[in-house]
Amino acid sequence: MIMYITMLVVGLVYLVLMIITRLHGPSWQATVLKSFTSFFFLTTLGVAALTEGRHFQFALFVGGGLLLGLMGDIWLELKGLYPEDSEAWTMMGFLMFLVGHFFYLAAAASVAGFRTEAFVAGIISALTALAFIYLGEKPMHFQYGKFKAISSVYGALLFFMAAYTVACAILLQNLGLLVMGIGGVLFLLSSLVLSIIYFREEKKEESALLVINYVLYYVGQYLIASSVLWIACEF
């Protein structure tokens, strides 16, 4: 447990340093710090898995999702360093996060199996996301452009994963799945903030939105990484 707490503290320190650096604009220093911050949610998972000592398959799937998240973090940061290729880096980042959520769903299913009630909750949430994207674009002054298709799939998957995992946690009264589900909700909220930064008509990277996005995202990812620690516990 001491090593687990140490990883969390180190990750928090890197997060603070990265945010301070990133607020001065995109830079290689911020990119490196962001990479280290993301790397430490992988080490947090490793320590948590060794501490819990069971549910190897769950930890393996979560690790796959976190690794893809780390790659997505790097691609999105390169968007600011190479503005001439920003669309390509953004697309790659979204794809990494999208595929990563399939790993998170596989992790939840490895513990909960198929749960009809949870699946229905996920579908309803996914449809809500699609309605938000397609019906809310003009009223909210968003312009998805060529990213509308992937934003739709990605948004639907984010909503589905968060709802499905929380529903499974409630059905099984499983603390680890609940922690993972809360992490998924925070990840979802961070993506909503990111969509404001990327897709609103008047594109302007506001410091407050940037900080909120990073805090929600990293707390969410660290919770997902930590979920293996409690996957054998009930609430």
Side-chain angles (χ1 to χ4, degrees):
M1 185 61 75
I2 293 176
M3 281 297 296
Y4 164 74
I5 294 173
T6 300
M7 292 300 103
L8 286 179
V9 171
V10 173
L12 176 62
V13 170
Y14 271 107
L15 175 59
V16 172
L17 291 174
M18 183 271 290
I19 290 175
I20 292 173
T21 305
R22 182 62 179 80
L23 288 176
H24 291 90
S27 66
W28 279 107
Q29 292 91 335
T31 302
V32 171
L33 286 170
K34 190 176 185 181
S35 300
F36 274 105
T37 309
S38 300
F39 172 77
F40 274 100
F41 57 55
L42 279 169
T43 61
T44 299
L45 168 70
V47 171
L50 290 174
T51 302
E52 200 277 335
R54 290 172 289 175
H55 294 281
F56 173 77
Q57 188 178 41
F58 177 83
L60 193 63
F61 281 129
V62 172
L66 292 174
L67 179 60
L68 288 165
L70 186 155
M71 294 170 65
D73 291 337
I74 295 173
W75 300 149
L76 290 185
E77 202 62 29
L78 290 175
K79 169 183 180 291
L81 294 176
Y82 299 102
E84 68 277 9
D85 298 316
S86 64
E87 291 184 353
W89 292 122
T90 302
M91 187 67 72
M92 284 298 297
F94 279 11
L95 284 172
M96 293 299 103
F97 290 129
L98 191 154
V99 177
H101 271 69
F102 281 110
F103 277 84
Y104 293 150
L105 280 172
S110 72
V111 175
F114 179 80
R115 301 280 167 172
T116 303
E117 301 94 329
F119 183 79
V120 171
I123 291 295
I124 293 173
S125 296
L127 292 175
T128 301
L130 292 175
F132 174 79
I133 292 171
Y134 281 90
L135 300 180
E137 184 175 10
K138 287 185 178 180
M140 297 188 68
H141 304 288
F142 279 14
Q143 289 182 339
Y144 292 102
K146 63 180 64 176
F147 293 101
K148 191 164 187 176
I150 192 169
S151 294
S152 301
V153 176
Y154 180 47
L157 185 59
L158 284 174
F159 272 75
F160 183 92
M161 178 268 175
Y164 182 82
T165 307
V166 171
C168 284
I170 294 171
L171 291 170
L172 298 176
Q173 293 190 322
N174 186 291
L175 183 57
L177 288 178
L178 182 61
V179 171
M180 184 182 192
I182 293 172
V185 171
L186 293 179
F187 195 127
L188 166 61
L189 292 175
S190 76
S191 296
L192 291 175
V193 174
L194 195 66
S195 69
I196 296 174
I197 296 173
Y198 281 5
F199 300 126
R200 60 182 169 175
E201 291 177 355
E202 185 182 347
K203 295 181 176 64
K204 183 180 179 183
E205 192 176 82
E206 296 178 4
S207 297
L209 288 176
L210 202 64
V211 172
I212 292 170
N213 170 58
Y214 282 139
V215 171
L216 287 172
Y217 170 73
Y218 278 104
V219 173
Q221 288 285 58
Y222 274 95
L223 282 176
I224 291 172
S226 302
S227 62
V228 67
L229 196 61
W230 296 287
I231 199 64
C233 302
E234 295 182 349
F235 61 86

